[in-house]
Amino acid sequence: MSTTPGLRMKTRQAVTEALADTALELFDTAGFDQVTVADIVAAAGISQRSFFRYFSNKEDVVFGDRIPSAEEVRDELLRHLDDVSAWDALRASFRTASLQMDDDNGRWKRATRVICHTPGLRARYLEKHLAWTDALVPEIVSRMPSGGPEAELRAHTMINTALGCFDVALMRWSDSETDLSLTALVDEVFGFVQFPPS
């Protein structure tokens, strides 16, 4: 009997997740820069050739498809933008992300901790912020009654404040030994900031 494509896909996903879990545990314990692909495959009991069937490099183990694209972030913002203020739409968008991360918090928490404590990975993550900002600014500016440079400046300020709030929540959550949810932290941190209506 031949294996169906669906079953093959599920098997590949299971192996990918198991390999990522092994690597993330090593990164979290020893430090990302100290762990080699040879260390990962030895711990996982596979060959280096097998490792590269699933990941192109160590960075892909951490990031994989975890970090949303600019288009995905923009689409999430658009789900909220017609119903609430721009700031509340940003808050709702990052709250959605935090709910998804809480659903798989063991893997996400470890990956986030590795990213936050590895300068090279942190820089790569912050590059994503720039792409997200570029995608979100036009959407927020288009909802503001007054256009022009002031509206763009306000949009940039709002987006970068939201990204800062999310980062503060992420770092506190990833280093926390408690069961406090990321969503609760996002609610708390975003609650410290208010933007007057535009």
Side-chain angles (χ1 to χ4, degrees):
M1 181 188 297
S2 64
T3 306
T4 65
L7 185 55
R8 280 198 300 271
M9 184 63 73
K10 287 177 184 175
T11 302
R12 180 176 177 81
Q13 183 178 350
V15 173
T16 302
E17 289 178 356
L19 186 52
D21 286 343
T22 298
L24 286 170
E25 184 173 354
L26 289 172
F27 297 154
D28 196 23
T29 303
F32 178 84
D33 293 327
Q34 283 65 48
V35 175
T36 65
V37 171
D39 294 328
I40 297 168
V41 300
I46 62 170
S47 68
Q48 288 205 25
R49 186 172 182 175
S50 294
F51 174 88
F52 288 114
R53 285 195 195 111
Y54 296 96
F55 300 103
S56 58
N57 52 49
K58 289 195 312 178
E59 289 80 0
D60 283 349
V61 176
V62 180
F63 286 100
D65 58 0
R66 287 186 178 88
I67 312 298
S69 68
E71 292 74 20
E72 289 169 326
V73 174
R74 183 193 61 216
D75 290 346
E76 182 60 34
L77 177 74
L78 291 174
R79 287 184 55 236
H80 307 283
L81 204 47
D82 288 333
D83 301 322
V84 295
S85 70
W87 176 248
D88 287 338
L90 285 164
R91 180 178 183 162
S93 298
F94 285 105
R95 193 175 197 281
T96 298
S98 68
L99 286 166
Q100 292 169 351
M101 293 170 78
D102 279 332
D103 282 344
D104 187 15
N105 82 357
R107 189 173 287 131
W108 263 111
K109 198 170 193 177
R110 180 163 271 164
T112 302
R113 190 161 51 238
V114 170
I115 291 169
C116 288
H117 292 285
T118 309
L121 297 180
R122 178 91 177 132
R124 182 172 165 186
Y125 172 67
L126 293 175
E127 284 178 10
K128 295 281 190 180
H129 282 197
L130 298 175
W132 296 349
T133 301
D134 288 344
L136 299 182
V137 164
E139 302 299 341
I140 290 180
V141 168
S142 71
R143 302 308 200 279
M144 291 185 176
S146 59
E150 184 180 330
E152 189 170 325
L153 182 61
R154 183 180 176 87
H156 272 282
T157 302
M158 213 177 279
I159 292 163
N160 281 285
T161 302
L163 288 168
C165 287
F166 191 59
D167 271 356
V168 168
L170 274 177
M171 286 186 282
R172 176 64 64 90
W173 174 70
S174 69
D175 284 334
S176 172
E177 299 297 330
T178 69
D179 291 331
L180 182 65
S181 73
L182 176 58
T183 306
L185 278 168
V186 165
D187 286 342
E188 182 178 3
V189 175
F190 271 79
F192 296 146
V193 181
Q194 288 186 342
F195 279 85
S198 55

